[in-house]
Amino acid sequence: MLGRPQPGDSEADLLRFQQQFLAAGAEPAVHVVRRPDKRRGETGTKDGLPEMEPSHRDVVDIPELPDQVPSLTPAPPKKSRFKSEHVHFEDEDPEAKLDRHDTHVTAVLTKIIERDTSMVPVSLPEFTGSAFPKVFHRSEVKEQAPATTGRKSIFAQKIAARRAMEDRAGSHTDAGCGGKNSRAGTERSNSLPAVSMETEQPAAPCEGKAVGKGSRLVTGQGLGMPHSSLEAKKIHQENEARLSAMSKAEILEEQRRLLSQLDPRLVSFVRSRDGSVPVVRPSHTPAEGLEDQGAQGSTDTQTDIQDSHSEDEQVEMENEEEQLDPEPEAPITEEELPVKPQKEWMHMDKLEPEKLEWLRDLPAPRKRGTRKAMQARFDFSGALIPPTADLPTHLGLHHHGEEPELAGYSLQELFLLSRSQVTQQRSLALTTLARVLRKVTVATAAHTTQNPLLLLLSHRKSAVCLKAATASDRNIGVMAAAVHALWALLVAPNDEECLDQTFSWLQGTSTFPLLPSTLEQEEEDDEEAEEGGQGWRKETAEEKEERKPDYDVAQADVVKGLLRMKLLARLRYILEVVRPAPRVVQEVLEILTRIARHSASAASQVLDCPRLLETVMSEFLPCSWAPPPPTLERPHGLPVAAAMKLVRVLASSGRHACARLLNRLAARDRLSRFLAVEPEELLLEPGEALRLCTEALRLWGVAAGYGQACDLYKDLYPILVKALQAVPRAVSQTDPRDPLRPLALQRAQALLTLLNKVTHTAGCHQELQADLTGSLEGESPPPPPVQWGHVTGLRPFVEGWMKVCVRGLADPAQHESSLSLAPANLLYLGAFYTQLKAQSSFRPVECLQEMESLTAEVLLPLLSHQDVRSMIDALKSCSAVCNPTSCSPGPEAVPSLPGLACSRGSPALRLAGSGSPFPLLTGLCSLIDAITSTHRGLTDKFSGLLLSDSLIGYLRACCHAMPALSHSSAWHLRHEYHLLHLLLKIASKLVPVNPEVAKQASLFHQVAIEMIPWLLPGSEHLAHDLLSTVIFNQDFLSEGRCGGPEAADLSQRLQLQDKVPSSHPSLGSLLQEACAQLPSVRGCYLTHLAHLEPSVLKSRDSYLGRTPWVKSQLLPELTGPVLPSDWAFLPLVSLYEQSGKEESRGRPVETLPPVSVESATHCLQWLLVLETWREGTLRAVPPAAKLCRLACLFLSSSDLFLERPVQQYTWALLWALCRPSQQDALDLSVPPPGVASFHDFYSALLAQFEAVSFGDPLFGCFLLLPLQRRFSAALRLAVFGEHVGLLRSLGVSLQQLPLPVEQFTSPPEDSLALLHLYFRALVTGALRRTWCPVLYMVALAHLNTFFFSQDPATQDVDAARRSLLRKTYCLTDEMLKDHLLLFKQPSAERDLGFELYEQLPAIRARRLDSVLKREEGRPAERD
């Protein structure tokens, strides 16, 4: 017989019983019944019971509960946000899963934290005679007064009425000053304020006496102490005592004074704490005002938009005064209603005053005397409405939202209306937003708003709203308005116009991507790295983008955010399916163009969008079409110039994208179709036909810039020649007032640009053909189909065209067209002669004769023309370098949506304006450089250009300029740098042969050095060219040949007098040696810039016209200049970084190889030349940064600073750094550029000095510079506290110190900790005169001044002063004692380095006696 478990059995006994039961196979006493599921057809039974399945565990089923929760129709099924993130396995055991997630009850109980209720007052219920409180009944509701504020439940209305009745009863009791309140009334009286601020009527005689047992305002909850309620009661009793001592008139006077001083909102809050006073609701916030409008379909996104704009979008009035808030109006009554409610009307038996407020008359407009900021409001044309404007209501600008008395709509109200269910409201709101954007871009409202409106309108959620309206609305009108608003946000027509005008300039086909700056993102990454610690792994850009939501991406980059929101697919749908009106199509194409300008990635997404480009090519660039009707309703099926421009911008993103467009999308066929006939034969409107042909020529020019589509040149050669022949005649015969004339000029410029690219491509054919037949078959691109012989016939046409332009400058009718076409002609001739000398068919004699003829007939007359002279005179005024503010971003610039800012400022100051001197002068210098590179004999004929007073003044202004870098300025600066580079190239050829030009060699040299840290990405070739030809050219260092070293010696002697030891070489000899080593110095810097070689080669291909090697017409991202401002220190910094890497690997650098020593020496030589003769070129590097860069010498290795040439040049640079002008600018309170913490850097120097210095005085002088009194005491504490051992070897004498001693001793030291360290170092012998004379003298000076100072001091300072003076008097070292007490002043002429008093002055002796007597008297007093 089986045993049964007993109460005392353990768990092991229970398991043993279970095993015995299972082994016996006995019949269980209880069966688990499982009913069959009728839906599944489970009918198998056994003995009237369901058939049991074998199982190793007991399973209990609940048959009434289905396996799945039935869905609630018609409600949609719920979706879990986290379901997709969970991993489920088919064979997972549900019981194991339940056990894994189940926790014991103790795990729950341990997390329970009891709320602290010790400070919470306890309100007891009111005692009544009945056993239970009285129950409210609905029949009693009609007897109560209706609620006047807000919607309340029946229970809340009863509670409010009861409390109001009790408060009235309590006030009557207080007024009578007799009797006692009930317990409930007493509890309520505890919270009443001591002085009522509700009225200024005379108070009752007992008003200030029996206020209550506690204060309602002061509860003591914020005191943070255990008995805060008792402290609050004490405060309340003090208030009561003070009030009881005051008279009635004094109370009223104090009440008036408080009301006049306090903020009205605070007074309203204090009054609201009393239940007997009706609370006046404060003015609605913008978000509440919008919610009260009752707009349907509002979401969390709408609330976020309202909150994000509520504080930013405000207008501030000038010369106005503050005003108090107006008194709230009484609720509207039934008599005031313009329409009386009738009984027959449903739900009008009970009036709701708060909902009838909109029936009142509009309040009066705001007065001009207020200074209160308010929301910016706009009319339907997008114009900003002044806050004081009193506009009539029939204009439709008044509404019942926030501030109903003001006309116009705020931005949040417009965004709210853009999501209205009414189609007309959505369309009107989006149209108004678009007009506001247009007016903002021209900066018409920038001066009246506190924050940029464009920044608000490009806010992440604003862009989301516009995209949502574009993507989700099926109404064609609303969709057109949304597209127009999106176009107004993204597209800047003036920027596009400027880019089109500069397309034919030098390197005009290349543009910067319009990417937002990544500086802020890099700072965020640094913060994340600091927070993450050592185990933090830096995320890639792709991982960050995937992790961010669309809203955050749009906030940082509007275009990228829109791309993530699938805007391209919606735009394709609009073009392909909706087929909107011509204006919408034009705006969609321009939006796509702006997206393509964003980056190469964005252009690739436009190319990869399914059916987008196919739709554009088939619908808006067809090869055949019918003549358009007079009133065009749909542009589909007709060529559109904007579509051709979109294709051109996409082709500029890369050679592979261009090949896809030409071949897969058949853009090559479109070029042949649109260029094979004259524009007037295209069956289009004349202006559109000219624009279409111009964009087709530009697209072909971009393709030819990659060496592509050049086979079309041979097919269309007769047409191109015919166009060349027709342009001069058309320009001369066209009426200047003809509106089509500017379009014809742009077409001619595009034609010359195309021929320029084709000529460069033909010039590369011979080189590529040689590579093809040689051993470099796989590394070079194939030869282009066009050869040099195919383009030689173009030069006569272009040269003749140029002669026509020169003659046309004298004709007022042709003057403007000649100035417009001359730059493109000059650039083509320059490209032709640049490529000519590299061809096998080059004939030197004929070429030189042609150049001489061109110079005599074109160049010299052009240089002497009055227009060119006027342009040279205007260089300084139109310069973006000399006038940084002329191209700075405007007040409405948005970091997330960069642009060129071409809509601001005067057109005369615009770089691409009609009066700009840069295109013509750049083209002229390009041709002069090409001619003088081949014909050296003509070089001297162009000296007049460089000797022009206006040009010299412009170059001098550039030497003192500090151009600011931004997206708007980079576009301007790049073209100006081209002109400066060409001027310097011409100067490099004229300086050796022309003495007059050689006199300005130092000016040209300084301009070249200034340009190096200015050059932008994509101009690496220019930097390499300047470093190779100009900067290290001895011809430009005229000081090295005409007494410069001698003058430097004289200047050094006058400044340093006898501080330079005779063993050191003179400054002049060092400069002479540096000038002799300039070729080696150049090689050193070019070697350290080898990491830029790929960028230099890529840039060189673009500038030299090596079109088959060009990868993209899109310049690199604008992250900053190519070289840093401290590029001259680059070899030293490189050595320091290399040694740091070796030390991190556990291999400290003891000795550098000879090559590194030579590199450091060459760097020091060049720095000495710059500091002596070109001091202004390093003004962008602060003295603190110079000190840190030079100190890298000591940290690079243990013996580099001991090398003799390094020592000599470093001493000279140290003396230059210690000049008064440099020392005045030396600031160590902020970290220098490139150094995270100067204190840490200085600590590393101290440790290195202790380890390897051997008492070197040069190293010691670098340590002493930061120890000047004006710098932080933390640096001196680091020496005397953490590295006191180095004082034994810091043996710099006063004669070797390059600074005046007063820099270390004045003003007196005020740090007690440092003074104690001074005294301890002297007493312990760590600081001695023979070991460290400078700091020994400094410590004596500060301690002596501290001992005998007569300035008033605190008790701690005075006690420290007496203690140190007493300890000094008790010293056994008599010499140290005399030095401390008798110190007079520093003196480098004395052997000691300072002067001593023969005996202590009388005033100091009395001071010493008083201290000693007081110390001696203390024991007697104690006795």
Side-chain angles (χ1 to χ4, degrees):
M1 182 176 180
L2 297 176
R4 292 180 175 273
Q6 301 298 325
D9 293 342
S10 64
E11 189 172 350
D13 297 331
L14 296 178
L15 292 176
R16 180 169 48 81
F17 286 132
Q18 182 180 2
Q19 292 176 358
Q20 293 177 359
F21 176 81
L22 295 176
E27 186 73 12
V30 179
H31 291 280
V32 178
V33 179
R34 183 177 181 181
R35 296 180 180 178
D37 193 344
K38 297 180 180 180
R39 294 172 297 177
R40 298 182 181 179
E42 297 180 4
T43 58
T45 58
K46 182 179 180 180
D47 300 322
L49 296 175
E51 190 173 348
M52 301 295 295
E53 296 180 0
S55 177
H56 297 290
R57 61 173 63 90
D58 296 335
V59 179
V60 180
D61 293 339
I62 303 178
E64 289 80 11
L65 185 65
D67 296 335
Q68 294 182 354
V69 179
S71 61
L72 301 177
T73 56
K78 295 183 180 180
K79 296 183 179 180
S80 174
R81 294 177 53 191
F82 310 98
K83 183 178 181 180
S84 59
E85 299 178 2
H86 294 171
V87 180
H88 302 278
F89 299 95
E90 295 181 356
D91 55 346
E92 186 175 11
D93 189 3
E95 184 178 359
K97 182 178 179 181
L98 180 62
D99 295 338
R100 184 169 62 252
H101 291 282
D102 190 18
T103 56
H104 196 263
V105 67
T106 56
V108 180
L109 293 178
T110 54
K111 298 181 181 179
I112 297 178
I113 301 176
E114 185 177 0
R115 185 169 61 93
D116 185 13
T117 59
S118 59
M119 305 302 176
V120 179
V122 179
S123 298
L124 298 177
E126 181 180 359
F127 288 96
T128 60
S130 60
F132 296 96
K134 183 180 179 181
V135 180
F136 296 155
H137 196 271
R138 296 193 60 174
S139 60
E140 304 177 6
V141 175
K142 295 183 180 180
E143 301 175 359
Q144 305 297 333
T148 58
T149 58
R151 178 178 298 175
K152 295 183 178 179
S153 64
I154 298 175
F155 183 81
Q157 294 178 20
K158 294 289 293 183
I159 290 293
R162 174 66 62 87
R163 288 183 176 178
M165 183 173 59
E166 292 174 353
D167 289 339
R168 286 195 297 269
S171 62
H172 291 308
T173 304
D174 294 339
C177 295
K180 295 183 180 180
N181 296 334
S182 65
R183 182 172 300 180
T186 305
E187 293 293 336
R188 285 192 299 273
S189 66
N190 291 340
S191 60
L192 293 177
V195 179
S196 176
M197 296 186 181
E198 300 168 15
T199 178
E200 297 184 4
Q201 298 295 333
C206 60
E207 186 177 38
K209 297 180 181 179
V211 180
K213 295 182 180 180
S215 173
R216 190 178 184 88
L217 293 179
V218 182
T219 60
Q221 294 183 2
L223 295 179
M225 52 193 303
H227 302 289
S228 58
S229 59
L230 298 178
E231 187 67 23
K233 184 178 293 185
K234 291 181 181 178
I235 296 174
H236 180 62
Q237 292 174 358
E238 292 176 1
N239 293 338
E240 287 184 339
R242 186 171 182 178
L243 285 174
S244 61
M246 297 173 63
S247 64
K248 173 181 172 183
E250 291 176 347
I251 292 177
L252 291 177
E253 181 63 27
E254 186 68 18
Q255 184 183 20
R256 295 190 187 95
R257 188 181 64 83
L258 288 175
L259 289 175
S260 63
Q261 293 178 354
L262 294 177
D263 187 0
R265 297 179 182 178
L266 179 60
V267 176
S268 177
F269 167 74
V270 174
R271 290 175 175 176
S272 66
R273 300 299 298 267
D274 189 356
S276 63
V277 181
V279 180
V280 179
R281 293 184 60 183
S283 59
H284 293 292
T285 61
E288 293 174 352
L290 290 177
E291 292 174 5
D292 292 341
Q293 294 178 15
Q296 300 179 0
S298 61
T299 61
D300 295 340
T301 304
Q302 301 170 9
T303 306
D304 292 341
I305 296 173
Q306 296 162 8
D307 296 340
S308 63
H309 295 313
S310 60
E311 297 182 358
D312 296 334
E313 179 197 357
Q314 295 185 353
V315 178
E316 185 166 341
M317 305 298 293
E318 299 179 357
N319 300 325
E320 299 168 348
E321 300 176 355
E322 292 282 351
Q323 289 185 350
L324 297 177
D325 293 342
E327 293 295 332
E329 298 183 6
I332 191 171
T333 60
E334 183 176 356
E335 290 74 13
E336 297 177 356
L337 294 177
V339 179
K340 307 301 181 182
Q342 304 296 328
K343 295 182 179 180
E344 293 79 9
W345 296 354
M346 294 185 61
H347 305 298
M348 289 300 292
D349 52 344
K350 178 182 179 182
L351 296 181
E352 297 177 286
E354 67 275 6
K355 295 184 178 181
L356 299 176
E357 293 292 331
W358 64 275
L359 293 176
R360 291 181 182 270
D361 294 335
L362 289 176
R366 177 169 296 190
K367 297 180 180 180
R368 292 186 178 273
T370 179
R371 289 183 57 89
K372 185 178 180 180
M374 55 187 303
Q375 296 187 23
R377 296 187 174 274
F378 305 89
D379 59 12
F380 295 131
S381 65
L384 185 66
I385 300 177
T388 57
D390 190 6
L391 300 180
T393 56
H394 70 271
L395 297 178
L397 297 174
H398 293 80
H399 52 86
H400 305 294
E402 186 182 359
E403 299 175 333
E405 71 276 9
L406 299 180
Y409 289 81
S410 62
L411 291 183
Q412 55 262 49
E413 292 169 351
L414 289 174
F415 277 111
L416 183 64
L417 284 178
S418 67
R419 296 181 300 279
S420 172
Q421 291 186 351
V422 182
T423 303
Q424 292 82 355
Q425 290 182 352
R426 297 200 305 273
S427 178
L428 181 62
L430 292 171
T431 304
T432 305
L433 283 173
R435 292 169 179 171
V436 171
L437 280 166
R438 282 296 90 200
K439 292 186 179 296
V440 165
T441 53
V442 296
T444 57
H447 64 284
T448 56
T449 56
Q450 292 179 349
N451 297 289
L453 291 177
L454 192 57
L455 181 62
L456 306 179
L457 290 167
S458 63
H459 191 269
R460 56 182 183 177
K461 294 183 176 61
S462 304
V464 171
C465 292
L466 295 178
K467 188 266 173 187
T470 308
S472 60
D473 210 306
R474 296 186 178 182
N475 185 276
I476 296 179
V478 177
M479 181 202 63
V483 169
H484 184 55
L486 194 61
W487 173 86
L489 175 65
L490 297 179
V491 180
N494 293 324
D495 292 356
E496 293 293 332
E497 182 181 356
C498 290
L499 291 175
D500 292 342
Q501 290 180 359
T502 58
F503 182 83
S504 300
W505 291 14
L506 180 63
Q507 295 293 313
T509 57
S510 300
T511 57
F512 285 106
L514 297 180
L515 276 169
S517 176
T518 58
L519 179 61
E520 298 180 358
Q521 185 63 35
E522 293 176 356
E523 294 178 353
E524 293 178 1
D525 296 343
D526 296 340
E527 294 177 358
E528 292 178 1
E530 293 177 359
E531 296 175 359
Q534 297 180 354
W536 182 83
R537 183 183 66 87
K538 186 175 181 180
E539 295 181 334
T540 62
E542 293 77 8
E543 292 175 347
K544 292 176 184 175
E545 293 296 333
E546 291 296 332
R547 187 167 50 88
K548 288 183 178 180
D550 295 347
Y551 290 164
D552 292 340
V553 175
Q555 187 179 24
D557 191 337
V558 175
V559 175
K560 186 179 292 186
L562 292 174
L563 290 175
R564 282 192 57 175
M565 299 174 196
K566 310 299 181 184
L567 176 66
L568 296 178
R570 178 60 181 175
L571 296 179
R572 190 270 311 162
Y573 172 81
I574 293 174
L575 294 178
E576 183 183 20
V577 180
V578 180
R579 303 172 70 88
R583 194 199 73 171
V584 180
V585 171
Q586 181 78 13
E587 291 174 349
V588 170
L589 295 175
E590 291 182 1
I591 290 173
L592 293 173
T593 302
R594 173 59 180 85
I595 293 175
R597 289 195 185 277
H598 175 268
S599 61
S601 174
S604 177
Q605 293 186 50
V606 176
L607 278 169
D608 297 336
C609 183
R611 301 199 311 276
L612 177 59
L613 265 297
E614 289 80 356
T615 302
V616 172
M617 300 298 289
S618 61
E619 296 290 347
F620 308 111
L621 290 175
C623 292
S624 60
W625 63 91
T631 56
L632 184 63
E633 297 182 358
R634 295 289 185 272
H636 293 69
L638 293 175
V640 180
M644 184 63 73
K645 182 176 181 179
L646 170 62
V647 176
R648 187 249 297 178
V649 174
L650 291 173
S652 301
S653 63
R655 64 182 305 110
H656 298 294
C658 183
R660 287 178 60 185
L661 290 168
L662 291 176
N663 301 318
R664 188 171 67 85
L665 295 174
R668 186 190 306 269
D669 299 338
R670 271 68 175 182
L671 293 178
S672 302
R673 174 64 182 88
F674 299 139
L675 298 177
V677 295
E678 295 295 330
E680 56 269 15
E681 300 177 7
L682 288 177
L683 300 179
L684 295 173
E685 187 268 331
E688 184 68 14
L690 281 173
R691 282 189 288 268
L692 181 63
C693 291
T694 301
E695 290 298 335
L697 289 171
R698 289 172 178 168
L699 171 60
W700 193 1
V702 171
Y706 301 123
Q708 301 175 358
C710 291
D711 52 342
L712 292 178
Y713 173 78
K714 296 186 294 183
D715 300 337
L716 301 179
Y717 181 78
I719 299 174
L720 296 177
V721 172
K722 181 180 178 182
L724 278 176
Q725 294 173 343
V727 167
R729 182 174 63 256
V731 171
S732 60
Q733 296 178 0
T734 305
D735 185 5
R737 295 170 294 180
D738 188 358
L740 298 179
R741 186 173 185 178
L743 298 178
L745 292 176
Q746 292 183 12
R747 177 173 177 267
Q749 292 172 352
L751 176 61
L752 286 172
T753 303
L754 165 64
L755 298 179
N756 190 334
K757 300 295 183 181
V758 173
T759 301
H760 277 301
T761 304
C764 300
H765 181 275
Q766 181 177 330
E767 179 183 357
L768 292 175
Q769 188 65 36
D771 294 342
L772 183 63
T773 57
S775 59
L776 302 176
E777 295 184 4
E779 298 181 4
S780 300
V786 59
Q787 302 179 14
W788 184 253
H790 296 151
V791 298
T792 53
L794 298 176
R795 184 194 59 79
F797 293 104
V798 179
E799 189 172 338
W801 195 358
M802 188 64 217
K803 294 177 181 178
V804 172
C805 290
V806 174
R807 293 192 298 267
L809 292 176
D811 187 359
Q814 304 179 21
H815 181 269
E816 183 179 356
S817 58
S818 299
L819 288 179
S820 300
L821 297 177
N825 282 276
L826 293 170
L827 289 175
Y828 175 81
L829 294 174
F832 181 84
Y833 286 113
T834 300
Q835 297 289 342
L836 177 60
K837 59 184 179 182
Q839 306 304 317
S840 58
S841 59
F842 175 60
R843 299 178 180 178
V845 178
E846 295 181 2
C847 179
L848 296 181
Q849 292 176 354
E850 293 173 358
M851 290 181 178
E852 292 174 357
S853 175
L854 180 63
T855 301
E857 298 179 9
V858 176
L859 295 181
L860 293 181
L862 194 60
L863 283 174
S864 60
H865 198 277
Q866 182 60 35
D867 290 334
V868 177
R869 293 180 181 177
S870 301
M871 289 183 178
I872 296 176
D873 296 339
L875 274 176
K876 185 176 179 180
S877 60
C878 297
S879 169
V881 174
C882 302
N883 304 284
T885 57
S886 64
C887 55
S888 60
E892 293 297 331
V894 179
S896 61
L897 196 64
L900 306 184
C902 291
S903 58
R904 294 177 54 254
S906 172
L909 294 178
R910 290 293 106 202
L911 190 65
S914 59
S916 176
F918 292 101
L920 180 60
L921 294 179
T922 303
L924 183 60
C925 292
S926 175
L927 180 54
I928 292 176
D929 178 56
I931 290 177
T932 53
S933 299
T934 305
H935 197 327
R936 295 287 182 175
L938 296 176
T939 304
D940 197 40
K941 294 183 178 295
F942 305 107
S943 59
L945 174 64
L946 297 182
L947 294 176
S948 171
D949 294 337
S950 300
L951 183 64
I952 292 176
Y954 164 66
L955 294 178
R956 286 176 178 169
C958 291
C959 292
H960 299 89
M962 294 289 291
L965 182 59
S966 62
H967 276 280
S968 58
S969 63
W971 174 75
H972 300 72
L973 293 172
R974 181 170 176 268
H975 290 292
E976 189 170 354
Y977 295 159
H978 293 161
L979 175 61
L980 290 173
H981 173 257
L982 291 172
L983 289 173
L984 294 174
K985 291 279 289 183
I986 299 172
S988 65
K989 301 167 187 174
L990 277 170
V991 166
V993 299
N994 192 301
E996 294 298 326
V997 178
K999 294 179 181 179
Q1000 304 295 334
S1002 60
L1003 174 61
F1004 300 136
H1005 191 234
Q1006 187 167 356
V1007 172
I1009 298 175
E1010 293 281 359
M1011 275 190 63
I1012 288 296
W1014 292 352
L1015 295 175
L1016 304 176
S1019 301
E1020 292 84 359
H1021 168 69
L1022 302 185
H1024 183 272
D1025 189 37
L1026 290 177
L1027 290 171
S1028 303
T1029 59
V1030 178
I1031 291 180
F1032 300 103
N1033 192 340
Q1034 295 181 358
D1035 296 333
F1036 286 89
L1037 278 172
S1038 57
E1039 294 85 353
R1041 304 189 306 270
C1042 57
E1046 292 78 5
D1049 275 340
L1050 180 59
S1051 175
Q1052 186 184 44
R1053 290 192 183 96
L1054 293 176
Q1055 291 180 2
L1056 301 179
Q1057 297 177 358
D1058 57 348
K1059 286 185 176 293
V1060 181
S1062 58
S1063 59
H1064 287 205
S1066 63
L1067 180 60
S1069 61
L1070 293 176
L1071 289 172
Q1072 286 180 347
E1073 184 181 358
C1075 291
Q1077 295 291 329
L1078 280 180
S1080 301
V1081 174
R1082 176 180 57 193
C1084 168
Y1085 277 91
L1086 292 179
T1087 302
H1088 281 85
L1089 294 175
H1091 64 281
L1092 296 176
E1093 183 178 2
S1095 301
V1096 171
L1097 295 177
K1098 182 180 178 181
S1099 175
R1100 184 194 63 178
D1101 294 338
S1102 178
Y1103 276 95
L1104 298 184
R1106 296 166 54 86
T1107 55
W1109 286 272
V1110 175
K1111 301 298 182 183
S1112 175
Q1113 301 286 353
L1114 201 62
L1115 295 172
E1117 182 180 353
L1118 188 63
T1119 56
V1122 175
L1123 293 177
S1125 58
D1126 61 343
W1127 64 273
F1129 296 88
L1130 185 60
L1132 298 182
V1133 177
S1134 300
L1135 290 177
Y1136 171 69
E1137 292 177 350
Q1138 291 176 5
S1139 64
K1141 292 179 181 178
E1142 294 296 329
E1143 290 181 1
S1144 63
R1145 298 170 184 171
R1147 300 192 297 266
V1149 180
E1150 298 294 338
T1151 303
L1152 291 176
V1155 177
S1156 300
V1157 177
E1158 292 180 2
S1159 177
T1161 304
H1162 292 326
C1163 178
L1164 295 174
Q1165 289 173 340
W1166 179 243
L1167 289 173
L1168 183 60
V1169 170
L1170 295 181
E1171 286 288 352
T1172 307
W1173 291 329
R1174 301 288 183 268
E1175 183 180 1
T1177 58
L1178 293 179
R1179 68 181 183 277
V1181 185
K1186 295 180 183 179
L1187 177 64
C1188 293
R1189 270 58 169 178
L1190 289 176
C1192 291
L1193 281 170
F1194 307 103
L1195 299 175
S1196 298
S1197 70
S1198 59
D1199 59 352
L1200 175 62
F1201 61 93
L1202 299 177
E1203 298 289 340
R1204 183 175 180 82
V1206 174
Q1207 280 263 333
Q1208 294 173 353
Y1209 284 100
T1210 308
W1211 270 113
L1213 289 170
L1214 177 61
W1215 293 326
L1217 186 61
C1218 292
R1219 287 177 296 196
S1221 60
Q1222 294 286 332
Q1223 284 298 307
D1224 293 342
L1226 183 61
D1227 184 12
L1228 302 181
S1229 59
V1230 295
V1235 179
S1237 170
F1238 182 81
H1239 187 275
D1240 296 341
F1241 183 82
Y1242 187 68
S1243 299
L1245 275 179
L1246 295 177
Q1248 184 77 351
F1249 182 85
E1250 286 185 295
V1252 301
S1253 69
F1254 300 103
D1256 181 65
L1258 176 63
F1259 201 164
C1261 287
F1262 272 87
L1263 292 186
L1264 289 175
L1265 281 182
L1267 299 182
Q1268 299 178 57
R1269 175 62 184 87
R1270 61 192 179 98
F1271 297 134
S1272 174
L1275 302 176
R1276 299 187 289 278
L1277 288 172
V1279 175
F1280 286 90
E1282 303 172 11
H1283 301 275
V1284 69
L1286 62 82
L1287 298 176
R1288 187 180 184 90
S1289 56
L1290 192 58
V1292 180
S1293 64
L1294 292 177
Q1295 290 76 16
Q1296 293 173 329
L1297 189 66
L1299 290 173
V1301 181
E1302 291 74 16
Q1303 299 287 343
F1304 297 87
T1305 60
S1306 179
E1309 184 62 61
D1310 55 359
S1311 173
L1312 286 179
L1314 187 57
L1315 290 170
H1316 281 289
L1317 291 177
Y1318 283 162
F1319 188 79
R1320 186 180 69 177
L1322 290 172
V1323 172
T1324 59
L1327 179 60
R1328 301 182 183 180
R1329 184 182 63 83
T1330 56
W1331 292 347
C1332 187
V1334 175
L1335 293 184
Y1336 182 83
M1337 181 272 302
V1338 171
L1340 291 179
H1342 285 302
L1343 287 172
N1344 182 269
T1345 305
F1346 180 69
F1347 291 161
F1348 302 106
S1349 175
Q1350 301 297 324
D1351 298 334
T1354 61
Q1355 184 177 0
D1356 296 340
V1357 174
D1358 186 68
R1361 182 181 298 165
R1362 293 176 179 275
S1363 174
L1364 290 179
L1365 185 55
R1366 181 178 57 82
K1367 292 178 181 178
T1368 302
Y1369 184 79
C1370 297
L1371 287 175
T1372 58
D1373 190 348
E1374 295 296 333
M1375 184 178 65
L1376 178 59
K1377 176 181 177 180
D1378 293 341
H1379 289 175
L1380 285 171
L1381 296 178
L1382 301 178
F1383 180 86
K1384 182 177 181 181
Q1385 62 183 4
S1387 178
E1389 292 79 9
R1390 300 296 181 93
D1391 295 337
L1392 294 176
F1394 50 88
E1395 297 181 8
L1396 296 175
Y1397 289 106
E1398 295 183 359
Q1399 59 181 2
L1400 203 61
I1403 187 172
R1404 296 190 175 189
R1406 289 194 298 270
R1407 170 67 177 174
L1408 179 60
D1409 292 341
S1410 65
V1411 172
L1412 295 177
K1413 289 180 180 180
R1414 177 175 295 184
E1415 296 296 334
E1416 292 175 357
R1418 285 183 180 177
E1421 292 176 2
R1422 295 193 190 100
D1423 296 341

